[in-house]
Amino acid sequence: MRSVSRRSLLRGGALGVAAATVAGCAAGRPEPSHPPAAEPPDPEIMLIRQLIAGKERTIALYSSAGSGKLLPFRQRHEAHLAELRRRLPREPRETGSVSPSPSPSGTSTAMPREPVSVRSLRDLERESAALRPRQLDGVSPALAQLIASIGACEAAHALALSRPL
């Protein structure tokens, strides 16, 4: 058996104590926390938010038109808006209850200052209906069906608004 010198023994013990001390200090300190990497926004949710903002503007325009004959058109847009909002994920509150996500536009929709013409509403409906097929690419079948239905309704509105009310 080989003998260990006193110096080697002390040196080894000192290194062991130093290593234990460093390890103990590191274990007592919380590791630096890095903010979690933000997940990229879901393209479908972003599309729904865009659709909601568009519906809010359309409803505001119909509201400012001031014609009772346009009420059914506005009500259909309100139904679309409600269905789109229903599809947004719900965010938990601090109290543990669940509430709907805030308005995607971030602000309330401002009402136009002057009454809107039926012609401008017809043009808006026509433009909106033409946009819907391009929004179908890559979305879930359920959302594609909703967007297609909204587009069909907007096309019907454009046709109805081209005739005397």
Side-chain angles (χ1 to χ4, degrees):
M1 182 165 140
R2 188 173 151 200
S3 68
V4 180
S5 72
R6 188 174 139 198
R7 203 173 273 179
S8 296
L9 186 59
L10 290 174
R11 192 176 330 149
L15 289 174
V17 169
T21 303
V22 170
C25 289
R29 257 187 273 143
E31 289 191 30
S33 63
H34 299 285
E39 289 186 33
D42 180 352
E44 202 162 285
I45 297 301
M46 298 214 23
L47 175 60
I48 292 171
R49 290 183 188 282
Q50 291 170 356
L51 291 166
I52 288 172
K55 284 297 170 184
E56 289 173 339
R57 285 188 298 274
T58 300
I59 291 167
L61 291 171
Y62 270 101
S63 296
S64 72
S67 172
K69 292 180 180 181
L70 296 174
L71 180 62
F73 295 86
R74 189 184 83 210
Q75 289 172 332
R76 283 188 282 275
H77 286 289
E78 289 170 342
H80 299 160
L81 179 60
E83 182 59 27
L84 289 165
R85 283 184 175 154
R86 189 182 72 73
R87 291 173 184 268
L88 282 178
R90 297 170 83 60
E91 297 174 0
R93 287 185 178 182
E94 289 179 26
T95 59
S97 64
V98 177
S99 66
S101 298
S103 172
S105 60
T107 60
S108 62
T109 305
M111 295 287 284
R113 295 178 190 205
E114 297 179 17
V116 175
S117 70
V118 171
R119 173 184 245 169
S120 64
L121 290 171
R122 180 194 66 217
D123 292 345
L124 172 66
E125 295 282 10
R126 190 175 289 145
E127 291 167 10
S128 296
L131 179 63
R132 301 303 172 227
R134 289 177 273 166
Q135 295 171 325
L136 300 176
D137 190 34
V139 301
S140 67
L143 183 58
Q145 183 178 14
L146 176 61
I147 292 171
S149 297
I150 289 171
C153 186
E154 291 163 338
H157 285 184
L159 181 62
L161 292 171
S162 66
R163 301 180 179 140
L165 294 176

